[in-house]
Amino acid sequence: MFSRLPPALVLTGAIIAGSAMDATIKFLTLTNHVLLVAFGRYLFGALFSYAIWRRSGAPVITKEMWRAHGLRGFVIAACAVLFFWSLSILPLAEAVTLSFIYPLLAPFVAALILKERIRPSSMICAIIGFAGVIIAMQGAPTAAESPQHAIGVAAVLVSAGFFSIAMVLLRERAQKDGAPIVGLMTSLVPGIILAIPTLLVATPPTLGDWPFFLQLGALAAVFMYLMAQAYARAEAQQLAPIHYTELLWASAIGFIVFQETPRPEIYAGAALIVAACLYAAYDERRLSRIKTTSEVAPE
C-alpha cells in the first residue's frame, strides 16, 4: 500500500509516528525504569513488526542478515536507552532539537569506521551545528533548578552519535533486506539484547501502564516500517529535510500533553542546526552529481 506513495510522504508519516512514540516514552519513564520502557518498546514493537512481516509473505531471514542486524541491534539498544532516559529529564522539543545533530556526526563516524576523508564543508557544518547546540542551551535551567539537565543533554548528544551509525546501517540493510525484515529485526534484536538487564533491575509495569506499552509498540512498528519503506526508495539526502518537521510535532505534542513551552533559544538553535544539516545534504548531493557526471563523460 505505502509503496505507491511518494517516499517523502511516507517519511512524513514515519516522523509523526515517531513523535507520538517519543511522547509515549516520556510518559512511561515518569513511572517506570528506563530499561523497562526500552525493552517494552522493542518487545511490543517486535510483535507488531512480526505481524507486518507475516502479512508481507514472511520473507526469509538469512544468517548474514542476523549477523548484520546483530551489530546494528547493539547500536540501537545503546542509542535508545540514552535517548529514552534523556526524555525523562528534558522537555520533548529540547531533546528532539539536540538529536538533530546526528547527520552532522555521520562524516566523522564514517572517517572513524570506514576511514573516509572528512571534507572541509563537513567540518564547517559541524561547527555551525554545534553552535546551534550552544544557542539552544541558553536559558536552560540551573543546576539547582534541574540537577540532571546537563547529564540529559550529554545523553542526547551521545545517543545522536549512535543514531548516526544506525542510520548508515539502515540505508544499506533497507536496500538489501526490504522494509518488513528491517522493521522486524530493528525491534527483535535490541529487545533480545535488553531482556536480561531489564529482568535484573526493573520491576513490572502497573496494570494501568500496559495499554501505553501496547501503544508504544504499535507506534514503533509503524515508525520503523515507514522509515524503511522511505529509505529503500529514495536517497538519504533527498529525505533529510523531512526529518526536521519532527520539531513541529514534538512542540505541539509537548505543549498539549505535558504543558511544555519551549524556550525561544531552542528554536533559534534548531534553526542553525537544521540549516547546517540541510547544507550538508545539499553538498553531498552536489558532489554525487559531479562524480556521476565525470564517470559518464566521454574520454
Side-chain angles (χ1 to χ4, degrees):
M1 178 177 66
F2 295 105
S3 61
R4 299 179 181 179
L5 298 176
L9 184 59
V10 173
L11 184 60
T12 300
I15 297 304
I16 294 173
S19 299
M21 180 182 70
D22 288 344
T24 306
I25 291 166
K26 183 176 180 66
F27 175 79
L28 287 171
T29 55
L30 297 177
T31 54
N32 295 275
H33 195 286
V34 65
L35 279 176
L36 178 63
V37 177
F39 176 66
R41 176 256 184 263
Y42 292 112
L43 172 64
F44 290 107
L47 294 176
F48 285 100
S49 295
Y50 176 77
I52 294 173
W53 175 75
R54 291 284 298 179
R55 187 174 178 82
S56 301
V60 176
I61 302 176
T62 66
K63 291 182 179 180
E64 186 273 335
M65 293 177 185
W66 276 104
R67 287 193 295 269
H69 286 285
L71 171 63
R72 185 167 176 263
F74 278 98
V75 174
I76 292 172
C79 173
V81 171
L82 287 168
F83 186 67
F84 289 11
W85 183 80
S86 73
L87 287 175
S88 69
I89 304 298
L90 305 177
L92 194 59
E94 183 173 352
V96 167
T97 295
L98 296 176
S99 71
F100 283 163
I101 69 163
Y102 79 86
L104 304 179
L105 300 176
F108 301 93
V109 171
L112 182 63
I113 298 177
L114 305 177
K115 309 302 179 184
E116 293 182 357
R117 185 177 64 87
I118 300 176
R119 296 192 300 271
S121 60
S122 297
M123 291 289 295
I124 294 172
C125 288
I127 292 171
I128 294 173
F130 279 103
V133 170
I134 294 173
I135 292 174
M137 290 301 94
Q138 303 307 302
T142 63
E145 295 171 330
S146 180
Q148 293 185 307
H149 187 274
I151 303 175
V153 170
V156 176
L157 298 180
V158 175
S159 74
F162 282 117
F163 190 67
S164 66
I165 299 172
M167 291 304 292
V168 170
L169 298 176
L170 169 65
R171 174 63 179 162
E172 179 186 11
R173 299 318 305 185
Q175 291 180 324
K176 289 183 177 180
D177 305 342
I181 291 178
V182 169
L184 175 61
M185 300 298 278
T186 296
S187 290
L188 180 60
V189 175
I192 294 172
I193 293 169
L194 291 170
I196 293 178
T198 301
L199 291 173
L200 290 175
V201 304
T203 57
T206 63
L207 188 61
D209 282 339
W210 278 99
F212 295 101
F213 274 99
L214 289 172
Q215 173 180 303
L216 177 59
L219 289 170
V222 171
F223 168 70
M224 200 62 248
Y225 178 76
L226 294 181
M227 183 86 76
Q229 279 276 3
Y231 274 89
R233 296 190 289 119
E235 295 182 358
Q237 59 261 33
Q238 293 177 327
L239 297 175
I242 307 297
H243 281 274
Y244 306 114
T245 63
E246 185 178 1
L247 181 57
L248 302 177
W249 310 115
S251 297
I253 294 172
F255 179 77
I256 295 170
V257 178
F258 302 106
Q259 292 76 54
E260 296 173 346
T261 302
R263 305 184 306 276
E265 293 89 345
I266 291 177
Y267 292 112
L272 266 184
I273 296 171
V274 171
C277 292
L278 291 178
Y279 179 78
Y282 162 77
D283 189 56
E284 183 70 26
R285 190 174 184 180
R286 179 182 64 84
L287 292 175
S288 178
R289 286 177 174 175
I290 292 175
K291 182 180 178 180
T292 302
T293 302
S294 63
E295 289 176 348
V296 300
E299 296 182 358

